[in-house]
Structure formats: structure tokens, C-alpha cells
Amino acid sequence: MSKQNEIVRLHTLVADMLELDEDLVKEKLEPLKDEIINTVASNKKFIIPGVLEIKPIILEPGSFLNTTKNEYVDVPSRISPRVKLQHRFVLAIKKLRLKKLNFF
């Protein structure tokens, strides 16, 4: 049986780093999700330096099968977010992953 990973939220990390009240930070970061959505929807790239980037990809219009109705539906062009982890971030995680685990 594998053990569930512990969940650490963004507001907890920010509160610890800035030595602020966690509830205050959570309240202030509440609109962050909407701001990221608006940024990517306006065809701009969102970057957390050294960690990841979220960039919009414009998908072509086409005809796709609607599996619930079993018929083809014409879909207009749309924007889809693509998330890419920075390679140096992935390498840093791989380097530390076994040192941080407690197997007992």
C-alpha cells in the first residue's frame, strides 16, 4: 500500500516565507486564480521563474465527435493552456527526491 502525499498549499508556503498570518495570505491570494485565467485567456504567457510557464495555445477549429450524442459537432477556434515545467526545476527535484523520503 502506498502512502498518500502530504498536501502543502501555496498560501501556507507564502505565509511561512513572509512570516505573515496564514488566513490573511489565503484571503489576499484568493483572486490569483482568476488573474492567471485572465492572463492566459488574453493570449499572454504566465511564468513562475525557475519553476513553470503557462502559455496559451490557439487550437484550430474543426469537427469533433460528441460521444454522448454520437454525432459530429463543429467547434470554433479556442485557447487552451499548456503548462511546461522548467528543466532545471525537474532536475533539482530528481536530485533531491530520494534524500527527502523517509521509508520508515
Side-chain angles (χ1 to χ4, degrees):
M1 232 185 324
S2 87
K3 181 183 168 191
Q4 289 289 333
N5 294 335
E6 183 180 349
I7 297 173
V8 179
R9 309 255 185 231
L10 177 64
H11 62 84
T12 306
L13 286 176
V14 172
D16 289 342
M17 290 175 62
L18 298 178
E19 298 175 356
L20 296 173
D21 180 39
E22 189 174 326
D23 294 331
L24 176 66
V25 174
K26 182 178 180 180
E27 181 182 321
K28 294 287 187 180
L29 288 178
E30 190 93 19
L32 179 64
K33 177 185 74 166
D34 295 330
E35 288 298 320
I36 293 173
I37 290 171
N38 290 336
T39 300
V40 174
S42 63
N43 206 17
K44 296 177 186 173
K45 190 186 296 188
F46 175 79
I47 296 176
I48 299 175
V51 179
L52 62 83
E53 64 182 47
I54 303 172
K55 62 181 178 178
I57 301 292
I58 299 176
L59 300 175
E60 299 292 326
S63 182
F64 298 99
L65 180 65
N66 183 345
T67 56
T68 57
K69 295 181 180 179
N70 201 20
E71 61 185 32
Y72 284 92
V73 178
D74 290 327
V75 178
S77 62
R78 60 226 183 265
I79 293 178
S80 176
R82 294 291 185 250
V83 178
K84 179 183 175 191
L85 290 174
Q86 296 287 326
H87 188 62
R88 61 182 168 212
F89 179 72
V90 174
L91 292 178
I93 295 294
K94 287 180 180 179
K95 183 178 178 182
L96 289 176
R97 68 180 171 189
L98 292 179
K99 293 179 184 176
K100 297 283 185 176
L101 291 180
N102 183 3
F103 291 106
F104 301 106

